[in-house]
Amino acid sequence: MRSIILLWLSVSLWLFALPPDIAHFLNQSKLPSKDVSIFIKELETDRVVASLNAGTTRQPASVIKVATAYGALLKLGFDYRWPTEFYLNGYLRSGKLEGDLVIKGYGDPSLSSKDLPDIVAQIKQSGIRQINGDVIIDRSYFDVGDKDSAHFDNYPYSAYNAMPDAMMFNERTTTVGITPRNRSVYKEIEDPSYKVVNKVKFVDRSCRGKYAWAGSKVEMQSPLPQLILQGELSKHCKERKVCMIVSKPYNAFYYALKEALEDEGITISGKMRLSRVPGGAKLLFTHYSEPLEAIVSETLKESNNLYARHLLLLTGAKIYGAPATVEKGRKAITNLLRTQHALPEGEFFMENGSGLSRRSKMSARMLGAVYESAYRILGERWMETLSIGGKDGTIKKRYRYKPAQNRSWMKTGTLKYVKNIGGYVKNRAGSYYSVVILVNTRQGTFRGAALQDSIINWLAQTKKAPYESGSKSASAAPEEIPAASPKQPSPASQEKKLSSGGYYIQVASVTKRPDSHYLSKLEKAGLRYTVVHEERYKVLIGGYPDRESAQSALVKIRQKFNKGAFIVAR
């Protein structure tokens, strides 16, 4: 009897911190409460809406990429671009390079075949028509060994298992095409460092079911790595492409570059060598990646494991010096988050930055703090790097035609027995919430997904704050700026156009127009303000020409006006 009473009390305590609707969704899911962590907070008021097992550490899976990406952006900024340097080691005379072309990689994870036309054009523009030497590749910026695959599961040579390298190319994947009509296969890049073995049986069957795709496996134990194609494939199918981890990325880059140069009439007499940039080599040009903002978007929207690993390594190298190591990266990200108060005390471990790990640990409250800090410091620009409900990324289809469509910005995380999600939801009243729902269970992760969807869609369609039941915050009304009086407002309180400068500090977001008394307080403090009406009335201080200026002003504004003030980019 005593054990039953204790169980009832524990369940009651779990549900006490949940609004009735969320408690209903949890009960409906049939998941054990102990397997679920929930932490939801209204960002404009700092009120906790829901909290269940928020301090319990769990396997975060890919939602930990949010911490990796935020740490990298704190250190490097949205506009950082990954370099790849090209050097001449020798002398150039009459179009002939008497010496070596040297390439130093810094771990640009996005470097791919689409970058070759620009690289070749710059080499050609330098006047080189013939290279009478070798191509030297320097991949020393990363100290990560030479493993091809993380070997995380039963599909070790699938793209998501790819390991990092300072001279990355095509995300370490090898692409082979299959042309059923001709019963033939071909390499997309003529890379002789691996072999294709065609064991496909082309059959006269309809292109569906088991006849729609060929099987494949990778054999690394032979002297030359092999990509073996097998199974039965309909000869009526269109061309098929197989992408696997087979060739080394620096080999693939060298052979792709050599082929692209030869297509432009530039020949190489030597071979490829791995070595550091020789002393005395002269920098020819630097090829840059897209801005870090685009790379972070790919990392978070598509849950790109390789990109996340590279973000961790780069951040570590930028803080603690080259060569980049996983340990430096872990230390760098953790310290950056703690400096921004984005990581409350508690058990936290990030194994590799990607979430492809059973050892990583994080609580819902920790992840919520990361989201809250990123929202306040990086604003909407950060939110747009996450997958948007019903629009793109991993939740493109998940919230289509649902209340959370275009009102949710999320990162998902899935492993066996793990179904996690976290991000932001905007409700019908225009209020923003940080939402973290971690489900680590053996009772069916599909139940976890259904629970998450119920909560997120419910929150998106609420029209007023659904505060945490039983909390002190719930009994207090939201602090509102007094409404404008019926009298004609003073010219200072009239709605204005945004002033020059791309960064603002938001000090209020209310349902009624702010009155002249409140706005005059801002004026007396010497602050230039703007009132913008977007579902709610928002009071913005600024603008400031850069984030550093806004950050400097934010400290004083929080002390004097609103401790929850934050920076937005417009």
Side-chain angles (χ1 to χ4, degrees):
M1 184 65 180
R2 182 173 178 272
S3 62
I4 294 174
I5 292 172
L6 288 174
L7 177 62
W8 179 85
L9 284 172
S10 63
V11 170
S12 298
L13 287 172
W14 279 332
L15 300 184
F16 182 72
L18 298 178
D21 289 309
I22 294 183
H24 169 71
F25 296 143
L26 181 60
N27 183 59
Q28 196 176 44
S29 75
K30 300 189 184 330
L31 286 170
S33 295
K34 66 180 179 60
D35 291 352
V36 180
S37 290
I38 301 172
F39 191 70
I40 303 175
K41 193 173 186 181
E42 187 177 42
L43 293 170
E44 292 163 6
T45 63
D46 280 341
R47 289 181 171 89
V48 174
V49 172
S51 179
L52 172 68
N53 301 323
T56 302
T57 54
R58 301 192 186 275
Q59 294 179 28
S62 283
V63 294
I64 206 169
K65 289 184 174 76
V66 170
T68 307
Y70 179 40
L73 288 172
L74 284 172
K75 175 60 183 175
L76 302 165
F78 283 109
D79 300 320
Y80 176 85
R81 292 173 183 262
W82 242 295
T84 302
E85 294 173 344
F86 290 75
Y87 294 82
L88 298 184
N89 184 41
Y91 60 89
L92 182 62
R93 179 183 299 167
S94 301
K96 297 180 180 180
L97 172 58
E98 301 297 339
D100 306 316
L101 177 67
V102 185
I103 304 158
K104 180 164 185 177
Y106 287 86
D108 175 5
S110 65
L111 189 68
S112 68
S113 297
K114 65 179 175 57
D115 295 295
L116 291 176
D118 177 64
I119 291 171
V120 170
Q122 292 195 69
I123 292 174
K124 191 172 182 178
Q125 189 176 359
S126 70
I128 296 175
R129 296 295 179 269
Q130 185 176 327
I131 300 172
N132 293 329
D134 294 335
V135 172
I136 298 175
I137 293 179
D138 182 347
R139 48 190 287 270
S140 62
Y141 191 70
F142 283 5
D143 181 10
V144 292
D146 208 28
K147 285 181 63 177
D148 298 292
S149 166
H151 289 272
F152 185 74
D153 54 15
N154 295 326
Y155 305 97
Y157 298 106
S158 292
Y160 61 83
N161 260 313
M163 291 294 280
D165 196 283
M167 191 66 250
M168 186 51 62
F169 187 65
N170 285 340
E171 299 182 30
R172 200 186 273 268
T173 58
T174 295
T175 301
V176 170
I178 306 174
T179 310
R181 182 177 297 179
N182 299 333
R183 301 171 182 257
S184 62
V185 301
Y186 66 92
K187 295 179 178 180
E188 198 166 82
I189 295 172
E190 282 303 322
D191 178 353
S193 68
Y194 75 97
K195 182 180 179 182
V196 177
V197 179
N198 183 12
K199 293 184 177 181
V200 176
K201 182 180 179 182
F202 296 95
V203 297
D204 190 13
R205 303 293 292 265
S206 178
C207 183
R208 62 179 64 181
K210 70 175 185 177
Y211 304 112
W213 290 94
S216 60
K217 68 176 183 178
V218 175
E219 178 57 67
M220 288 290 195
Q221 280 66 44
S222 54
L224 203 64
Q226 294 183 351
L227 174 57
I228 302 169
L229 304 173
Q230 55 194 4
E232 295 181 317
L233 179 63
S234 168
K235 65 181 183 181
H236 303 292
C237 290
K238 294 181 180 179
E239 183 177 273
R240 297 288 188 255
K241 290 191 176 181
V242 176
C243 297
M244 302 287 282
I245 300 169
V246 188
S247 176
K248 301 292 185 185
Y250 45 85
N251 281 334
F253 175 72
Y254 166 70
Y255 288 114
L257 176 63
K258 182 179 180 181
E259 182 179 338
L261 287 171
E262 289 175 349
D263 287 344
E264 291 295 320
I266 302 173
T267 60
I268 302 173
S269 63
K271 58 184 180 180
M272 188 271 288
R273 289 191 287 123
L274 296 177
S275 180
R276 292 179 179 268
V277 176
K282 180 181 177 182
L283 182 65
L284 184 63
F285 67 90
T286 302
H287 173 80
Y288 290 98
S289 71
E290 292 183 12
L292 195 62
E293 182 173 12
I295 289 175
V296 165
S297 291
E298 171 71 17
T299 305
L300 300 181
K301 289 181 185 291
E302 305 301 333
S303 203
N304 191 308
N305 292 323
L306 182 69
Y307 278 29
R309 290 176 184 272
H310 278 234
L311 288 172
L312 180 93
L313 289 163
L314 176 67
T315 307
K318 287 296 183 180
I319 292 179
Y320 299 111
T325 66
V326 173
E327 186 56 43
K328 288 178 184 177
R330 287 184 197 133
K331 184 178 177 182
I333 297 294
T334 302
N335 288 343
L336 282 164
L337 297 182
R338 294 208 189 281
T339 299
Q340 291 296 334
H341 307 291
L343 202 61
E345 289 302 320
E347 184 182 356
F348 171 75
F349 180 69
M350 172 185 288
E351 184 168 11
N352 53 49
S354 75
L356 201 66
S357 164
R358 292 286 181 184
R359 296 177 60 218
S360 295
K361 295 291 180 184
M362 196 175 195
S363 73
R365 184 177 288 114
M366 285 180 177
L367 187 56
V370 172
Y371 277 117
E372 183 180 355
S373 177
Y375 174 82
R376 301 202 186 287
I377 292 178
L378 302 181
E380 293 180 5
R381 195 172 177 183
W382 155 260
M383 289 173 62
E384 293 297 317
T385 66
L386 295 163
S387 180
I388 302 172
K391 182 179 178 181
D392 60 22
T394 58
I395 59 171
K396 181 177 182 178
K397 297 181 180 179
R398 190 165 171 180
Y399 295 114
R400 189 173 290 175
Y401 311 121
K402 302 291 184 181
Q405 179 169 334
N406 293 320
R407 305 184 78 86
S408 54
W409 297 261
M410 294 286 164
K411 178 73 198 76
T412 57
T414 303
L415 292 173
K416 189 176 182 181
Y417 307 131
V418 176
K419 193 69 175 179
N420 298 334
I421 196 167
Y424 309 96
V425 173
K426 179 182 179 182
N427 77 351
R428 295 295 176 186
S431 296
Y432 287 90
Y433 300 84
S434 61
V435 179
V436 178
I437 309 171
L438 309 182
V439 180
N440 288 194
T441 187
R442 290 177 177 268
Q443 304 303 312
T445 52
F446 69 94
R447 301 180 194 275
L451 172 64
Q452 292 160 359
D453 292 350
S454 295
I455 294 172
I456 289 169
N457 282 314
W458 164 78
L459 187 59
Q461 64 186 357
T462 58
K463 294 183 179 179
K464 60 181 180 179
Y467 297 128
E468 176 184 351
S469 62
S471 71
K472 292 181 180 179
S473 301
S475 60
E479 184 179 342
E480 291 264 358
I481 299 171
S485 65
K487 297 179 181 180
Q488 181 69 22
S490 67
S493 67
Q494 296 287 348
E495 187 167 321
K496 305 173 183 179
K497 293 182 179 179
L498 292 177
S499 52
S500 60
Y503 295 90
Y504 297 81
I505 298 172
Q506 183 170 312
V507 292
S509 176
V510 292
T511 56
K512 297 180 181 180
R513 184 177 181 79
D515 71 354
S516 57
H517 174 70
Y518 176 79
L519 297 175
S520 66
K521 288 170 62 178
L522 299 178
E523 286 188 334
K524 287 178 182 178
L527 298 172
R528 182 172 56 184
Y529 69 84
T530 304
V531 179
V532 180
H533 189 203
E534 299 170 339
E535 294 185 342
R536 293 167 68 92
Y537 289 92
K538 297 179 181 180
V539 182
L540 308 178
I541 305 296
Y544 298 91
D546 50 52
R547 183 170 291 279
E548 289 72 21
S549 304
Q551 188 67 44
S552 178
L554 179 63
V555 177
K556 295 180 180 178
I557 289 172
R558 281 180 171 174
Q559 290 173 347
K560 192 165 186 179
F561 290 99
N562 183 352
K563 68 177 182 179
F566 57 93
I567 297 171
V568 295
R570 299 181 70 94

